[in-house]
């Protein structure tokens, strides 16, 4: 018997980056204790911050725990994909997208009819076989 994935959705404009991080932390504690909380929260922060900063409309954060993975998705109203920039050590940013790509096991960008979806996936670590 397979277990149904658990999902939580956080939507704008009611919630901000801090609220999205709080929802993600609670979700991981309940459904994905194996996931690296700090890494996931950094990615959630970056994806939500980018949606707030670079879109003029809505955003929606999805978190889904599947049997072998954790999926974090953000849909937003902008059709423009994230663009990596050279980091600016003088305070001008450019670190976030590189961080997302490095922290998640896999990142995909898909067009939506009214925007795009950025998906970050973490694979559940395999557990050693018991003897």
């Amino acid at each position: 018997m397979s277990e149904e994935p658990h999902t939580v959705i956080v939507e704008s404009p009611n919630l901000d980056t801090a609220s999205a991080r709080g929802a993600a932390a609670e979700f991981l504690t309940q459904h994905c204790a194996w996931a690296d909380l700090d890494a996931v929260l950094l990615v959630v922060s970056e994806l939500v911050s980018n949606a707030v900063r670079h879109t003029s409309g809505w955003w929606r954060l999805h978190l889904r725990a599947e049997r072998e993975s954790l999926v974090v998705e953000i849909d937003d109203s902008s059709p423009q994909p994230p663009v990596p920039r050279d980091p600016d050590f003088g305070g001008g940013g450019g670190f976030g997208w590189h961080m997302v790509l490095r922290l998640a096991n896999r990142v995909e960008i898909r067009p939506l009819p009214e925007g795009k979806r950025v998906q970050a996936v973490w694979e559940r670590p395999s557990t050693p076989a018991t003897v």
Side-chain angles (χ1 to χ4, degrees), residues 12-58:
S12 67
N14 301 328
L15 297 171
D16 57 11
T17 304
S19 300
R21 281 177 57 93
E26 183 177 334
F27 180 80
L28 265 64
T29 299
Q30 293 177 4
H31 304 292
C32 290
W34 55 266
D36 181 337
L37 180 65
D38 292 332
V40 174
L41 292 183
L42 280 170
V43 169
V44 165
S45 294
E46 185 59 31
L47 295 178
V48 171
S49 294
N50 283 347
V52 170
R53 185 177 302 120
H54 300 294
T55 67
S56 59
W58 57 269

Side-chain angles (χ1 to χ4, degrees), residues 66-78:
E66 297 179 347
R67 186 178 188 108
E68 298 300 323
S69 62
L70 166 64
V71 180
V72 173
E73 297 172 327
I74 188 147
D75 300 345
D76 66 47
S77 61
S78 171

Side-chain angles (χ1 to χ4, degrees), residues 32 34-36 40 64 66-72 103-108 119-127:
C32 290
W34 55 266
D36 181 337
V40 174
R64 188 171 63 247
E66 297 179 347
R67 186 178 188 108
E68 298 300 323
S69 62
L70 166 64
V71 180
V72 173
L103 291 174
N105 293 131
R106 186 173 72 247
V107 177
E108 297 178 15
Q119 181 184 76
V121 179
W122 286 264
E123 301 298 329
R124 184 184 195 117
S126 58
T127 55

